[in-house]
Amino acid sequence: MIKRTIFFPLLAVLLILGSCSKDDESPTPEPEPKIETPQPTALDLNDFDNGAGVMMQAFYWDVEPRHEWWDILSEKVEGWADAGINRMWLPVATKGQSGGYSMGYDVSDYFDFGDLYQHGTTETRFGSREELENLIDVSHQHGVEVIADIVINHNSGGGEEYNPYRGENTYTLFDEDHGNASGMFNRDYENFYPNSTSNWYDNSLFYPETNLDHHQEYVQNWLWKNENSVAKYYMNVMGFDGWRFDYVKGFEPWVIKEWLDEVGGFSVGENWDGYSPNLEAWVEETGSGAFDFATFYKLDEAFDRHDDLTIFNDEMLWKTHPDKAVTFTANHDTEKDSNEDNYISYDNKMKAYSFILTHPGYPTIFYSDYENEEFKEKLNKLMLIHNTIATGEVEVLYVDNDEYVMKRSGNATNPGLILYINTGINAKRRSVESNWNSNFVMDYSENTNYIAKTDETGSVMLEGPANGYAVYSIMEDGE
């Protein structure tokens, strides 16, 4: 149930009727009483619930202060839940080679959640195991699922040993004394490519000498099959609810399919590919959701690189697989490497959010964006819109270089919406065909005070604020 409430200002339309005599010598008539027409008011969007939700990416690269992150998030969960967040994606929660400085992607011990001393620290960068368990409990109390970031292709931080299959020393020895203090899922060079059962390897991958061989039964047992496997331990012992698979190009799609067949849970993969057909093929093979990099790059191109909103006509994952498309405008990598190819500019960020929070797909909010005071309330309004009236079929009503008008049709009990993005320097107005007949309409994002009324056929003149967006829907009839 959406708990966030936003109150909109009272909007009135007044009709004053009066009369006067044409005969100067006639007695002055009593003035006619003023008649006020009923005043249309904003819908209470909390009356609608389309069953959607929003995921929070609850970290950025090199979060600070170190060792306090789990406690910081525990204080924020209730507010996020009230705003419409139903899942929280955490950073890699186990010990990495960089110890107390590690963001977790140099994974060393899959079962050290900040309770074992190794790599120079007991706590992870984010805190202790006890603090993590408390964060998961608090999240569940507020109806928020917790998504684990899982790195299952490359390992880091093992001991040095001679690897006969590479003819050189590699850091592939993981045991109680070498980067795996838990003693669970010990590994050596035989568990990585190449080995005695496979001479395949790809040196273009991250950490190629420690790229796990998922064809080995031993590796499969420890990652997802055994009762004390990584997957089952994370879910049954730690209480995680789902998975964000890191760098899925480092292993084959069947790995995720088998993982999900074994343990289930929400799943999204980082298949960093802007070509939508490749994403479509991957989600069909795995059964997992995928970050919609195709949409991310179209947003970047449309707003920043080409200044051309007709790019939104191109292929994107949400158009073909809306239930598998996890949309986003920023993440820890794109913000860390802010450049024109992997970055949506600050000035265009909210327009990009207006797109993903009104279109199909499962949107992700980036922590640093939400904590930006200039963005927070705007994002709260968009999340409320997303979780309530962003429903029904999509129809693009108009698009050119600097205008994009899109309709969600709604249904018998939900009015739907119309999104108007305008990248021009001046406000613009455009007549479009809505599904609403003889209704007053307003902008529920509150970026413009413009109010219009649809005619008996649904035609309406809407306004797109200068270099901004508006999200229109109907108003309540006055009583």
Side-chain angles (χ1 to χ4, degrees):
M1 183 68 183
I2 306 302
K3 294 184 280 186
R4 178 170 176 80
T5 303
I6 294 177
F7 295 99
F8 296 92
L10 184 65
L11 302 166
V13 179
L14 302 177
L15 177 62
I16 302 174
L17 300 179
S19 64
C20 59
S21 173
K22 295 182 180 179
D23 186 350
D24 293 339
E25 297 179 359
S26 299
T28 302
E30 292 294 323
E32 294 284 347
K34 295 180 179 179
I35 301 175
E36 296 184 354
T37 58
Q39 301 174 346
T41 59
L43 296 173
D44 183 350
L45 297 189
N46 293 282
D47 291 338
F48 303 90
D49 185 349
N50 59 20
V54 180
M55 183 162 67
M56 175 68 75
Q57 179 178 356
F59 63 99
Y60 56 92
W61 198 260
D62 289 341
V63 298
E64 294 288 352
R66 292 187 302 116
H67 311 306
E68 299 179 25
W69 197 246
W70 299 146
D71 285 342
I72 289 172
L73 296 184
S74 294
E75 296 296 319
K76 294 182 180 293
V77 171
E78 182 176 4
W80 290 353
D82 288 344
I85 299 294
N86 70 336
R87 290 191 179 98
M88 175 173 55
W89 159 27
L90 296 186
V92 180
T94 52
K95 194 70 59 65
Q97 179 181 10
S98 304
Y101 293 90
S102 173
M103 285 297 294
Y105 293 96
D106 53 347
V107 62
S108 181
D109 189 335
Y110 285 97
F111 296 90
D112 178 2
F113 291 90
D115 53 327
L116 300 171
Y117 184 83
Q118 56 186 328
H119 298 303
T121 183
T122 297
E123 291 191 347
T124 67
R125 184 186 191 101
F126 313 110
S128 68
R129 175 174 177 146
E130 182 180 4
E131 291 163 348
L132 171 61
E133 291 172 329
N134 176 67
L135 169 59
I136 294 172
D137 287 343
V138 169
S139 299
H140 289 165
Q141 290 168 22
H142 292 288
V144 176
E145 291 189 355
V146 184
I147 306 306
D149 203 320
I150 296 291
V151 181
I152 60 171
N153 64 302
H154 58 268
N155 292 173
S156 187
E160 187 177 13
E161 62 181 349
Y162 180 70
N163 186 332
Y165 304 104
R166 285 184 172 268
E168 60 184 358
N169 284 1
T170 54
Y171 292 91
T172 47
L173 177 61
F174 292 84
D175 59 22
E176 290 88 336
D177 298 320
H178 302 92
N180 197 49
S182 69
M184 302 173 71
F185 193 18
N186 285 335
R187 289 143 278 161
D188 61 26
Y189 62 79
E190 275 287 359
N191 304 125
F192 303 97
Y193 290 113
N195 53 54
S196 61
T197 59
S198 174
N199 59 11
W200 178 90
Y201 65 93
D202 182 352
N203 276 331
S204 69
L205 299 175
F206 292 135
Y207 303 99
E209 69 278 5
T210 54
N211 188 45
L212 282 166
D213 182 355
H214 299 88
H215 291 272
Q216 291 184 356
E217 186 174 358
Y218 177 82
V219 173
Q220 294 177 15
N221 287 340
W222 270 110
L223 284 181
W224 68 83
K225 288 184 176 180
N226 286 349
E227 287 308 305
N228 60 345
S229 64
V230 171
K232 292 179 182 177
Y233 193 94
Y234 277 50
M235 182 167 279
N236 300 332
V237 178
M238 298 302 296
F240 284 101
D241 303 287
W243 323 100
R244 181 268 184 185
F245 290 100
D246 181 69
Y247 190 55
V248 300
K249 291 188 176 183
F251 50 92
E252 296 156 288
W254 63 264
V255 172
I256 290 181
K257 186 177 189 310
E258 288 204 8
W259 179 299
L260 295 178
D261 287 345
E262 187 73 31
V263 298
F266 171 84
S267 173
V268 57
E270 184 205 27
N271 189 348
W272 199 308
D273 194 322
Y275 184 55
S276 189
N278 288 345
L279 297 175
E280 295 165 22
W282 189 85
V283 300
E284 289 170 2
E285 287 186 74
T286 62
S288 170
F291 285 110
D292 193 348
F293 279 93
T295 295
F296 170 76
Y297 281 113
K298 296 310 174 191
L299 292 167
D300 177 31
E301 293 167 6
F303 290 130
D304 286 324
R305 283 194 264 171
H306 303 309
D307 296 320
D308 182 3
L309 302 188
T310 64
I311 288 171
F312 293 148
N313 289 326
D314 293 350
E315 294 175 311
M316 291 178 261
L317 183 62
W318 66 263
K319 292 185 178 183
T320 58
H321 295 74
D323 59 326
K324 299 295 185 183
V326 179
T327 52
F328 66 102
T329 68
N331 64 33
H332 57 296
D333 286 318
T334 65
E335 296 293 300
K336 177 184 67 174
D337 302 324
S338 55
N339 60 66
E340 65 177 15
D341 292 329
N342 293 317
Y343 183 73
I344 295 172
S345 67
Y346 186 92
D347 290 342
N348 288 321
K349 191 73 71 73
M350 284 309 306
K351 291 192 289 293
Y353 273 117
S354 78
F355 188 97
I356 69 170
L357 286 161
T358 55
H359 286 71
Y362 182 51
T364 305
I365 305 295
F366 183 52
Y367 177 91
S368 298
D369 289 339
Y370 190 75
E371 291 302 310
N372 183 326
E373 289 303 318
E374 184 177 343
F375 292 163
K376 180 175 288 187
E377 283 308 308
K378 296 176 182 178
L379 286 170
N380 283 339
K381 291 184 178 73
L382 285 173
M383 284 193 287
L384 180 62
I385 288 167
H386 173 267
N387 290 340
T388 57
I389 57 174
T391 193
E393 295 298 316
V394 172
E395 181 183 352
V396 177
L397 302 178
Y398 182 83
V399 63
D400 64 16
N401 285 0
D402 58 4
E403 290 178 84
Y404 177 79
V405 188
M406 179 277 297
K407 177 176 70 177
R408 297 294 299 272
S409 63
N411 55 44
T413 59
N414 193 309
L417 58 79
I418 293 178
L419 169 68
Y420 194 155
I421 297 177
N422 170 23
T423 60
I425 61 174
N426 298 310
K428 296 186 178 182
R429 292 184 182 179
R430 185 162 296 281
S431 179
V432 296
E433 298 300 317
S434 76
N435 290 347
W436 312 311
N437 299 331
S438 302
N439 290 110
F440 285 98
V441 298
M442 63 170 283
D443 169 26
Y444 282 82
S445 71
E446 293 191 275
N447 288 324
T448 175
N449 292 324
Y450 178 78
I451 300 169
K453 186 174 183 181
T454 66
D455 68 16
E456 64 277 5
T457 68
S459 293
V460 62
M461 180 73 71
L462 298 181
E463 178 177 279
N467 194 27
Y469 62 90
V471 185
Y472 290 93
S473 193
I474 63 172
M475 303 171 69
E476 294 273 14
D477 290 332
E479 297 181 356

